[in-house]
Amino acid sequence: MEVVKQITAEQLEKIVNQQKDLQALLSNIGILESQKHSFLHQLGELNKAIEDFKGELEVQYGAININIEDGSYTEIEKPTEE
């Protein structure tokens, strides 16, 4: 009969706990990557909404720079051709 060789119970417990921690971290990374994807999608949508609204403002006011603190604006001068 062959004798079964084993590590200590404490060593086995440490390995099991480390594997649980590893799986939890990998799971959290997956969740964070999913959230990151969602945030990047939202960012893209917001950037598009910003650009669309800039276009609306340009149709109404022409090319302008807007002070976002008080709403005042200055016209952007187009370079003159010589």
Side-chain angles (χ1 to χ4, degrees):
M1 182 185 231
E2 187 174 325
V3 175
V4 176
K5 298 177 183 177
Q6 287 185 297
I7 61 175
T8 67
E10 292 82 17
Q11 291 169 328
L12 178 59
E13 181 181 2
K14 185 172 184 172
I15 290 170
V16 169
N17 288 335
Q18 287 174 334
Q19 289 300 307
K20 284 180 186 177
D21 290 346
L22 177 63
Q23 290 305 314
L25 287 170
L26 290 173
S27 177
N28 287 339
I29 288 170
I31 291 167
L32 290 171
E33 283 295 328
S34 177
Q35 290 175 334
K36 175 184 170 186
H37 176 77
S38 177
F39 290 148
L40 288 173
H41 182 69
Q42 290 175 30
L43 178 63
E45 289 177 349
L46 180 58
N47 281 332
K48 183 180 182 327
I50 289 169
E51 291 304 314
D52 290 347
F53 191 59
K54 281 181 181 179
E56 291 176 27
L57 292 172
E58 188 166 351
V59 167
Q60 186 171 357
Y61 297 101
I64 58 173
N65 284 319
I66 301 171
N67 179 331
I68 61 171
E69 291 181 9
D70 64 12
S72 63
Y73 67 88
T74 57
E75 294 179 358
I76 298 173
E77 294 182 20
K78 295 180 181 177
T80 58
E81 295 182 21
E82 293 181 28

